Amino acid sequence: SLVLQCAPGFFVKRGLGPGMHSLWEGAKGYATQIKGKLTGRQHSIEGRVVVEEKKLAEGGFGFVYRVVDGKTGEQFALKKILCQDKERFRLAKREVDILTKLPAHKNIVGFHGASVEAAPGGKGKEVCILLELCPGGHLLDMLDRYQGKPPEGIIVGGLKDVS
């Protein structure tokens, strides 16, 4: 699947077949395991307890991690937005409100819930958004693969899916 960010916080996915990339997979990260148990930071979201497994991406206001549901083993993407002031918190809550109202659709990344936690170090809040994991890589990775000029079929297919 390929994931396109069409506006801040809004992602549209596009299946492009084997070897293509999505938004989240690609940045180097780490997971700690002791005797088969994940030991990353845990988050409770919509009745699920997920454990951070690997940092996938980093931006100006937050991070995206691959997380695993400790009970089912399902993998998700966890977007964590650091909110050190009221305006950033308002914007993060607005993103969650919009995601909550979006209908389920094969070309929109699935939303599985959100939570608000104290930020590490006690400086502000952290809004955690649990999303469908689309494994593969960055949109930029795909562009790099084609030296910035992906084949016309890929471009047309992506535009059809978002139109």
Side-chain angles (χ1 to χ4, degrees), residues 28-68:
K28 292 191 177 183
Y30 54 87
T32 304
Q33 289 195 353
I34 299 175
K35 294 186 181 179
K37 293 186 178 185
L38 290 170
T39 60
R41 188 167 166 211
Q42 294 185 2
H43 305 272
S44 181
I45 302 173
E46 303 287 328
R48 292 181 186 269
V49 176
V50 296
V51 180
E52 291 177 11
E53 196 174 47
K54 180 180 180 182
K55 183 167 57 171
L56 302 175
E58 183 174 332
F61 295 101
F63 304 88
V64 176
Y65 288 85
R66 182 177 62 214
V67 296
V68 63

Coordinates of all heavy atoms in Angstrom, one line a residue, residues 28-68:
K28 N 14.5 4.2 10.7 CA 15.1 3.2 11.6 C 14.6 3.4 13.0 O 14.4 4.5 13.5 CB 16.6 3.4 11.6 CG 17.2 3.0 10.3 CD 18.7 2.8 10.3 CE 19.2 2.3 9.0 NZ 20.6 2.1 8.9
G29 N 14.3 2.3 13.7 CA 13.8 2.3 15.1 C 14.4 1.1 15.8 O 15.3 0.5 15.3
Y30 N 13.7 0.7 16.9 CA 14.2 -0.4 17.6 C 13.1 -1.0 18.4 O 12.1 -0.3 18.7 CB 15.3 0.0 18.6 CG 15.0 1.2 19.4 CD1 14.3 1.0 20.7 CD2 15.2 2.5 19.0 CE1 14.0 2.0 21.5 CE2 14.8 3.5 19.8 CZ 14.2 3.3 21.0 OH 13.9 4.4 21.8
A31 N 13.2 -2.3 18.8 CA 12.3 -2.9 19.7 C 13.1 -3.7 20.7 O 14.2 -4.2 20.3 CB 11.4 -3.9 19.0
T32 N 12.7 -3.7 21.9 CA 13.5 -4.5 22.9 C 12.6 -5.7 23.3 O 11.5 -5.5 23.6 CB 13.7 -3.6 24.2 OG1 14.4 -2.4 23.8 CG2 14.5 -4.3 25.2
Q33 N 13.3 -6.8 23.3 CA 12.6 -8.1 23.7 C 13.4 -8.8 24.7 O 14.6 -8.9 24.6 CB 12.4 -9.0 22.5 CG 11.4 -8.5 21.5 CD 11.0 -9.6 20.6 OE1 11.5 -10.7 20.5 NE2 9.9 -9.4 19.8
I34 N 12.7 -9.2 25.8 CA 13.4 -10.0 26.8 C 12.6 -11.3 26.9 O 11.4 -11.2 27.3 CB 13.4 -9.3 28.1 CG1 14.2 -8.0 28.0 CG2 13.9 -10.2 29.2 CD1 14.2 -7.1 29.3
K35 N 13.2 -12.4 26.6 CA 12.5 -13.7 26.6 C 11.2 -13.7 25.9 O 10.1 -14.1 26.4 CB 12.3 -14.2 28.0 CG 13.7 -14.5 28.7 CD 13.5 -15.1 30.1 CE 14.8 -15.3 30.7 NZ 14.8 -15.9 32.0
G36 N 11.2 -13.1 24.7 CA 10.0 -13.1 23.8 C 8.9 -12.0 24.2 O 7.9 -12.0 23.5
K37 N 9.1 -11.2 25.2 CA 8.1 -10.2 25.6 C 8.6 -8.8 25.2 O 9.8 -8.5 25.4 CB 7.9 -10.3 27.1 CG 7.2 -11.5 27.6 CD 6.9 -11.4 29.0 CE 6.2 -12.7 29.5 NZ 5.7 -12.6 30.8
L38 N 7.7 -8.1 24.6 CA 8.0 -6.7 24.2 C 8.1 -5.9 25.4 O 7.3 -6.0 26.3 CB 7.0 -6.1 23.2 CG 7.0 -6.7 21.8 CD1 5.7 -6.3 21.1 CD2 8.2 -6.3 21.1
T39 N 9.1 -5.0 25.5 CA 9.3 -4.2 26.7 C 9.2 -2.7 26.4 O 9.7 -1.9 27.2 CB 10.7 -4.5 27.3 OG1 11.7 -4.2 26.4 CG2 10.7 -5.9 27.8
G40 N 8.7 -2.3 25.2 CA 8.6 -0.9 24.9 C 7.5 -0.2 25.7 O 6.7 -0.8 26.5
R41 N 7.3 1.1 25.5 CA 6.3 1.9 26.2 C 4.9 1.4 25.9 O 4.6 1.1 24.7 CB 6.5 3.3 25.9 CG 5.6 4.2 26.7 CD 6.0 5.7 26.5 NE 5.0 6.5 27.0 CZ 4.7 7.7 26.6 NH1 5.4 8.2 25.6 NH2 3.7 8.4 27.1
Q42 N 4.0 1.2 26.8 CA 2.7 0.7 26.6 C 1.7 1.9 26.6 O 1.9 2.9 27.3 CB 2.3 -0.2 27.7 CG 3.1 -1.5 27.7 CD 2.6 -2.5 28.8 OE1 1.6 -2.2 29.4 NE2 3.2 -3.6 28.9
H43 N 0.6 1.7 25.8 CA -0.5 2.7 25.7 C -1.8 2.0 25.7 O -1.9 0.9 25.1 CB -0.3 3.5 24.4 CG 1.0 4.2 24.2 ND1 1.2 5.4 24.7 CD2 2.1 3.7 23.6 CE1 2.5 5.7 24.4 NE2 3.0 4.7 23.7
S44 N -2.8 2.5 26.4 CA -4.1 1.9 26.5 C -5.0 2.8 25.6 O -5.2 4.0 25.9 CB -4.6 1.8 27.9 OG -5.9 1.3 27.9
I45 N -5.6 2.2 24.6 CA -6.4 2.9 23.6 C -7.6 2.1 23.2 O -7.4 1.0 22.7 CB -5.6 3.3 22.3 CG1 -4.4 4.2 22.7 CG2 -6.5 4.1 21.4 CD1 -3.4 4.5 21.6
E46 N -8.8 2.6 23.5 CA -10.0 1.9 23.1 C -10.1 0.5 23.6 O -10.4 -0.4 22.8 CB -10.3 2.0 21.6 CG -10.3 3.5 21.1 CD -11.5 4.2 21.4 OE1 -12.6 3.6 21.5 OE2 -11.4 5.5 21.6
G47 N -9.6 0.2 24.8 CA -9.7 -1.2 25.3 C -8.5 -2.1 24.9 O -8.4 -3.2 25.3
R48 N -7.6 -1.5 24.1 CA -6.4 -2.3 23.6 C -5.2 -1.8 24.4 O -5.1 -0.6 24.7 CB -6.1 -2.0 22.2 CG -7.1 -2.6 21.2 CD -6.5 -2.2 19.8 NE -7.5 -2.6 18.8 CZ -7.5 -3.8 18.1 NH1 -6.6 -4.7 18.5 NH2 -8.4 -4.0 17.2
V49 N -4.3 -2.7 24.7 CA -3.0 -2.3 25.3 C -2.0 -2.6 24.2 O -1.8 -3.7 23.8 CB -2.7 -3.0 26.6 CG1 -1.3 -2.7 27.0 CG2 -3.7 -2.7 27.7
V50 N -1.4 -1.5 23.7 CA -0.4 -1.7 22.6 C 1.0 -1.3 23.1 O 1.1 -0.5 24.0 CB -0.8 -0.8 21.3 CG1 -2.1 -1.3 20.7 CG2 -0.8 0.7 21.7
V51 N 2.0 -1.9 22.6 CA 3.4 -1.8 23.0 C 4.2 -1.2 21.8 O 4.1 -1.8 20.7 CB 4.0 -3.1 23.5 CG1 5.4 -2.9 24.0 CG2 3.1 -3.7 24.6
E52 N 4.9 -0.2 22.1 CA 5.8 0.4 21.0 C 6.8 -0.7 20.7 O 7.5 -1.2 21.5 CB 6.5 1.7 21.5 CG 5.5 2.8 21.7 CD 6.2 4.1 22.3 OE1 7.5 4.1 22.3 OE2 5.5 5.0 22.6
E53 N 7.0 -0.8 19.3 CA 7.9 -1.8 18.8 C 9.0 -1.2 18.1 O 10.2 -1.6 18.2 CB 7.1 -2.8 17.9 CG 7.7 -4.1 17.6 CD 6.8 -5.0 16.8 OE1 6.2 -4.5 15.8 OE2 6.7 -6.1 17.2
K54 N 8.7 -0.2 17.2 CA 9.7 0.4 16.4 C 9.3 1.9 16.0 O 8.2 2.1 15.6 CB 9.9 -0.4 15.1 CG 11.0 0.1 14.2 CD 11.1 -0.8 13.0 CE 12.1 -0.2 12.0 NZ 12.2 -1.1 10.8
K55 N 10.2 2.8 16.1 CA 9.9 4.2 15.7 C 10.0 4.2 14.1 O 11.0 3.7 13.6 CB 10.9 5.2 16.2 CG 10.5 6.6 15.8 CD 11.2 7.7 16.6 CE 12.7 7.6 16.5 NZ 13.4 8.8 17.1
L56 N 9.0 4.6 13.5 CA 8.9 4.6 12.0 C 9.2 5.9 11.4 O 9.7 6.0 10.3 CB 7.5 4.1 11.5 CG 7.2 2.7 12.0 CD1 5.7 2.3 11.6 CD2 8.1 1.7 11.5
A57 N 8.7 7.0 12.0 CA 8.9 8.3 11.4 C 8.9 9.4 12.5 O 8.4 9.1 13.7 CB 7.8 8.6 10.4
E58 N 9.4 10.6 12.2 CA 9.5 11.7 13.1 C 9.2 12.9 12.4 O 9.6 13.1 11.3 CB 10.9 11.7 13.7 CG 11.2 12.7 14.7 CD 12.6 12.5 15.3 OE1 13.2 11.4 15.3 OE2 13.2 13.5 15.7
G59 N 8.4 13.8 13.1 CA 8.1 15.1 12.5 C 8.3 16.2 13.4 O 8.8 16.0 14.5
G60 N 7.8 17.4 13.1 CA 8.0 18.6 13.9 C 7.3 18.5 15.2 O 7.8 19.1 16.2
F61 N 6.2 17.8 15.3 CA 5.4 17.8 16.6 C 5.2 16.4 17.1 O 4.4 16.2 18.0 CB 4.1 18.5 16.4 CG 4.2 20.0 16.1 CD1 4.1 20.4 14.8 CD2 4.5 20.9 17.1 CE1 4.3 21.8 14.5 CE2 4.6 22.2 16.8 CZ 4.5 22.7 15.5
G62 N 5.8 15.4 16.5 CA 5.5 14.1 17.1 C 6.3 13.0 16.3 O 7.2 13.2 15.5
F63 N 5.8 11.8 16.6 CA 6.5 10.6 16.1 C 5.4 9.6 15.7 O 4.3 9.6 16.2 CB 7.3 9.9 17.2 CG 8.3 10.8 17.8 CD1 8.0 11.6 18.9 CD2 9.6 10.8 17.3 CE1 9.0 12.5 19.4 CE2 10.6 11.7 17.9 CZ 10.3 12.5 18.9
V64 N 5.8 8.6 14.8 CA 4.9 7.5 14.5 C 5.7 6.2 14.8 O 6.9 6.1 14.5 CB 4.5 7.5 13.0 CG1 3.7 6.3 12.6 CG2 3.8 8.8 12.7
Y65 N 5.0 5.3 15.5 CA 5.6 4.0 15.9 C 4.8 2.9 15.4 O 3.6 3.0 15.2 CB 5.6 3.9 17.5 CG 6.6 4.8 18.2 CD1 6.3 6.1 18.5 CD2 7.8 4.3 18.5 CE1 7.1 6.9 19.1 CE2 8.7 5.2 19.2 CZ 8.4 6.5 19.5 OH 9.3 7.3 20.1
R66 N 5.5 1.8 15.1 CA 4.8 0.5 14.9 C 4.6 0.0 16.3 O 5.5 -0.1 17.1 CB 5.6 -0.4 14.1 CG 4.9 -1.8 13.8 CD 5.6 -2.7 12.9 NE 6.9 -3.1 13.6 CZ 8.0 -3.3 13.0 NH1 8.1 -3.2 11.7 NH2 9.1 -3.7 13.6
V67 N 3.3 -0.4 16.6 CA 3.0 -1.0 17.9 C 2.3 -2.3 17.7 O 1.8 -2.6 16.6 CB 2.0 0.0 18.7 CG1 2.7 1.3 19.0 CG2 0.7 0.3 18.0
V68 N 2.3 -3.1 18.7 CA 1.7 -4.4 18.6 C 0.7 -4.5 19.8 O 1.0 -4.1 20.9 CB 2.7 -5.6 18.7 CG1 3.5 -5.6 19.9 CG2 2.1 -6.9 18.4

